[in-house]
Amino acid sequence: MKLKSLGAWLAASVAVPATMASATDLEVTHWWTSGGEAAAVAEFASAFDATGNKWVDGAIAGGGSTARPIMISRITGGDPMGATQFNHGRQAEELVEAGLMRDLTDLAESEGWADAVAAPSLLESCTLDGKIYCVPVNIHSWQWLWLSNKAFEDAGLDVPTTWDEFVAAAPALRDAGKIPLAMGGQAWQRGGAFNVLMTAIGGKELVMKVYDEKDAEVAAGPEIAKVFQAAADAREMSQGSNVQDWNQATNMVIQDEAGGQIMGDWAQGEFQVAGEVAGEDYTCLPGLGVNEIISTDGDAFYFPVMDDEEQSAAQEELASVMFNAGTQVAFNLKKGSLPIRKDVDLNAANDCMKKGLAILDQGNTVTSVNQLVSPDTNTQIEGLMTEFFSDMNMTAEDAQARFADIIANAD
């Protein structure tokens, strides 16, 4: 998808900065508005303010699907912010190609980013034609099942250890007045849940054949049929969830109204704000307890090209602050994500974060879907999953046929 199609897509601890400059206000746009997210972003703001500059918060409610078109419209319309969030992957590719994003290569090389990052794919996602255009700030993995221990106790059940055990527990949860699977109504949540099921049930090789190699024959085959059957189970289990935002679904688990939720590790921030203790109040199953693989999803910040020299200097200071080891620890402990650096001390990590760190240390990772397909393709998949989860009359076979067609034409 080239820049000419952008309009169509829009419709559908404190760091010591590398250089000191005059203090200035810098607007930072992002979509972190839940309780846990707000606590995490405050760590970035505090660290940046300590440089003498001022973080001007530009939070946009509604998640990335709402925020990204607004951010892109401002940048292409000549009203850029100082810094803006995107996910790891290709979401800002056209803006970089159009020369609208600042080149951070000199800063990255002077601070040794390539030697410090925990996964090379993090910087690869920021790189185009050998130049680095963003600073990755976390590793968020989608592949988690969050379970309310009390919900299962109320239903007279042991807490499941695998996806199949969770599915088998659904009738007893219903009988106990619980929604088995909490799921919000936003398209990205449903598309994300489907990809989690694919990773857990099919494994890394299947994910790469479908999304990296764009193998439509595999997408139409028996292994993906198993994934769609699991998605049909998830659809049945989520009936009655009746919430829109992801953190509302997480809160159903926190309040013991739902048995569980498929959601990325950012859900940990909500459990933390609520005073929940991992291993006591809730249980986390990486890879749904089936296949302990995590993806290298997450967030990065890009810095639009600005004419103002003071704001440009502040941009560089903010990028340095975000990559700093101390700031990385403070931010990610609140966010529930893993730091992008491999040289940080995370003794304060909770049980679930330690599970994620162990999986990362073992190298059991898969490239995120956002890094493998274009925003257009991802939007089509999310649209299909929204239809599938909303329409109980759509069969798994029909949905798979449409999915295979999307993959056949994916870019």
Side-chain angles (χ1 to χ4, degrees), residues 145-332:
L145 178 60
W146 307 93
L147 301 169
S148 162
N149 290 2
K150 189 174 187 304
F152 288 94
E153 180 184 336
D154 290 347
L157 300 169
D158 292 332
V159 177
T161 60
T162 67
W163 172 256
D164 286 344
E165 290 179 7
F166 180 46
V167 174
L173 287 168
R174 290 279 188 198
D175 290 343
K178 315 290 183 182
I179 301 296
L181 180 65
M183 182 175 290
Q186 295 162 320
W188 67 268
Q189 296 181 57
R190 292 164 173 191
F194 173 77
N195 290 330
V196 170
L197 289 166
M198 187 188 302
T199 305
I201 294 168
K204 178 178 178 177
E205 289 186 6
L206 184 66
V207 172
M208 297 303 286
K209 282 183 178 297
V210 171
Y211 287 127
D212 187 33
E213 299 176 23
K214 315 295 191 296
D215 192 324
E217 185 175 342
V218 171
E223 293 305 308
I224 294 297
K226 295 177 185 177
V227 178
F228 271 93
Q229 185 52 58
D233 290 336
R235 177 174 64 178
E236 175 64 34
M237 294 167 69
S238 66
Q239 293 302 298
S241 191
N242 297 332
V243 293
Q244 185 69 8
D245 296 335
W246 72 269
N247 52 306
Q248 293 175 315
T250 305
N251 192 56
M252 292 178 67
V253 180
I254 292 171
Q255 297 299 323
D256 309 313
E257 298 168 356
Q261 179 191 23
I262 296 173
M263 186 49 59
D265 55 10
W266 50 91
Q268 287 191 88
E270 302 305 298
F271 286 104
Q272 182 169 291
V273 167
E276 299 272 288
V277 178
E280 295 181 15
D281 301 303
Y282 66 97
T283 295
C284 55
L285 298 181
L288 309 187
V290 178
N291 202 336
E292 291 195 349
I293 298 174
I294 62 175
S295 58
T296 50
D297 289 282
D299 305 286
F301 277 82
Y302 289 75
F303 300 81
V305 173
M306 307 188 83
D307 294 330
D308 187 286
E309 290 185 6
E310 289 187 358
Q311 288 201 315
S312 293
Q315 287 179 320
E316 185 163 318
E317 288 186 291
L318 178 57
S320 180
V321 162
M322 287 178 161
F323 199 85
N324 173 266
T327 314
Q328 273 288 301
V329 172
F331 169 78
N332 284 289

Side-chain angles (χ1 to χ4, degrees), residues 55-108:
W55 174 291
V56 179
D57 200 67
I60 301 172
S65 58
T66 297
R68 279 190 296 273
I70 296 171
M71 296 165 173
I72 293 171
S73 180
R74 281 189 55 184
I75 295 167
T76 57
D79 181 29
M81 62 295 292
T84 190
Q85 173 189 10
F86 286 101
N87 294 123
H88 298 328
R90 298 172 58 185
Q91 293 174 353
E93 186 176 77
E94 298 174 54
L95 298 173
V96 172
E97 290 175 339
L100 297 173
M101 290 301 190
R102 179 173 175 172
D103 180 356
L104 300 175
T105 307
D106 288 346
L107 177 65

